[in-house]
Amino acid sequence: MLAGLLAMTGTAVAQDAATPEAAPVAAAPTAAADAPAATTLSAPAPGAPAEGAATPADPTLDASGQPLLRATDGVGQPSDRAIGIQPQATDLGDEAKWFHNAILLPVIIIISLLVLALLAWVVVRYRRAANPVPSRTSHNTLIEVIWTAAPVIILALIAIPSIRLLAAQYEPAPENAVTIKAIGNQWYWSYEYPDHGGFSITANMLKEQGEVPAGQRFRTDADGPRLLAVDNRIVLPVGVPIRLITTANDVIHSWAMPAFWVKLDAVPGRLNETSFTIREPGLYFGQCSELCGARHAYMPIAVEAVSPAVFAQWVAAKGGTMPGSAAPSTAPVPQPAADIADDTATPVDGTGPTVNASVEAVTTSQSAEGVAGGSGRTEN
């Protein structure tokens, strides 16, 4: 009984003695979690608004969050019963449209009519009633030379503007170009602006009102045509060269914008690049033009072309920065006198500063490692 009583008393004393030491252990993680919390966040981009500062309003949206710019019939989108190429918003597109209308179509029409006329002539002239005894001619040198040389000459003439147009499509963008990276996913597009703080945008197709649950956003006339409207448009400036870089995260996609004369494949593990300059503000729509899976037809692209000033406001609203904006100072912060005193101390006898023991230990350890590693040098 005495032994049991002593054991119980000892346990109670041990618990009372451990209680004061347990409190700091429980509080330590809280302090540690609070202190490094700021380090787990990404550092603000140069020129970005400070924490707590009001974020600029998106200049492309109204007070209710609806887009201000609406689609215009016949501009940047397909039109009912229209024939031909969409109106172009780039100089390159105008050149390509001229090449199609002034060279390719006439050549195609002339050749088709010529072949049709020859077939009709052969049918009428060499029918059985008009030509009961067929000719035994097997060769005609002049005809064979003509039908061999004529296609070669036609192709050579077409190749001159064609190759020039092809080279212009892949001409490297100038230094002042705005870079946008389009990433294809199954089945939506995501975009990055590496020159403007690296912010990213994800664009999904907006469904019709009857296809979404109550309370979820659906397409309206302000967003754009059916199957072409997206929840987040990408914004680009007019009059400024655009460098488009495409890639994909899963399968091959294709970023196609007919009004810009752009169709660039997005291949996983590869970066493809082209450039263009939007000439006129407006709203332009495109789609993925590569069969990428079951929902291939539901990957629309919406580009809102605005003035450079509005583009700068939009970048600020998205948390990005314009190139060349003022960056925070990178000068080293002056070290407090107390910290300096910890590292160096002047002895009373005035023999000069002595290195702190901890610093000396680190230096000695580094020197020993350098020698042991056979580097033939010491690190100070």
Side-chain angles (χ1 to χ4, degrees):
M1 292 176 61
L2 181 59
L5 182 60
L6 291 175
M8 293 176 62
T9 304
T11 303
V13 173
Q15 290 178 351
D16 294 341
T19 300
E21 299 177 0
V25 174
T30 303
D34 293 340
T39 60
T40 59
L41 302 176
S42 59
E51 184 177 358
T55 302
D58 191 332
T60 63
L61 304 177
D62 59 17
S64 62
Q66 293 295 320
L68 292 173
L69 184 61
R70 299 197 172 202
T72 303
D73 292 338
V75 178
Q77 60 176 317
S79 302
D80 292 339
R81 299 187 178 126
I83 298 177
I85 298 173
Q86 288 186 20
Q88 295 298 299
T90 64
D91 293 339
L92 182 62
D94 284 340
E95 182 180 351
K97 187 175 181 179
W98 173 86
F99 176 62
H100 175 269
N101 294 338
I103 297 181
L104 293 184
L105 274 182
V107 169
I108 292 172
I109 293 173
I110 292 173
I111 292 177
S112 299
L113 293 178
L114 176 62
V115 173
L116 180 62
L118 290 175
L119 288 175
W121 180 73
V122 168
V123 169
V124 174
R125 171 66 179 80
Y126 295 102
R127 69 187 190 278
R128 177 174 294 183
N131 188 37
V133 180
S135 173
R136 300 295 180 180
T137 303
S138 59
H139 294 283
N140 187 301
T141 304
L142 178 60
I143 293 179
E144 291 184 359
V145 170
I146 292 176
W147 74 34
T148 301
V152 173
I153 296 173
I154 293 173
L155 291 177
L157 295 176
I158 293 178
I160 297 174
S162 178
I163 294 176
R164 184 177 66 248
L165 177 62
L166 183 64
Q169 293 181 19
Y170 298 99
E171 185 177 353
E175 293 296 331
N176 63 333
V178 172
T179 302
I180 180 173
K181 184 178 180 181
I183 305 171
N185 307 272
Q186 290 182 319
W187 283 274
Y188 62 93
W189 291 98
S190 57
Y191 301 92
E192 296 178 359
Y193 287 76
D195 296 339
H196 297 79
F199 67 93
S200 59
I201 296 175
T202 299
N204 290 277
M205 187 192 75
L206 286 175
K207 298 181 180 180
E208 300 301 302
Q209 184 174 5
E211 300 175 349
V212 299
Q216 187 173 340
R217 184 182 176 189
F218 54 87
R219 185 195 68 85
T220 63
D221 292 338
D223 295 309
R226 177 178 175 270
L227 298 180
L228 291 178
V230 299
D231 53 357
N232 290 310
R233 301 172 181 172
I234 58 172
V235 178
L236 294 174
V238 298
V240 179
I242 307 298
R243 178 186 294 106
L244 173 67
I245 300 175
T246 60
T247 187
N249 285 330
D250 33 56
V251 298
I252 298 178
H253 302 271
S254 185
W255 200 91
M257 183 62 62
F260 299 166
W261 202 260
V262 171
K263 181 183 180 298
L264 192 64
D265 285 350
V267 183
R270 179 184 177 88
L271 295 178
N272 289 333
E273 179 179 332
T274 188
S275 62
F276 56 91
T277 301
I278 307 174
R279 186 177 57 244
E280 303 172 0
L283 186 56
Y284 305 93
F285 296 95
Q287 287 179 309
C288 174
S289 296
E290 186 74 27
L291 186 59
C292 57
R295 295 187 60 82
H296 154 71
Y298 307 103
M299 289 184 61
I301 304 165
V303 175
E304 186 168 338
V306 299
S307 65
V310 175
F311 174 72
Q313 297 175 11
W314 179 81
V315 169
K318 295 300 180 181
T321 57
M322 295 299 294
S325 58
S329 175
T330 58
V333 179
Q335 191 175 9
D339 295 342
I340 299 176
D342 291 340
D343 293 339
T344 61
T346 303
V348 179
D349 57 3
T351 58
T354 59
V355 181
N356 187 296
S358 60
V359 178
E360 183 178 3
V362 172
T363 304
T364 304
S365 174
Q366 292 176 346
S367 301
E369 292 175 358
V371 174
S375 61
R377 61 182 178 89
T378 58
E379 299 179 359
N380 295 324

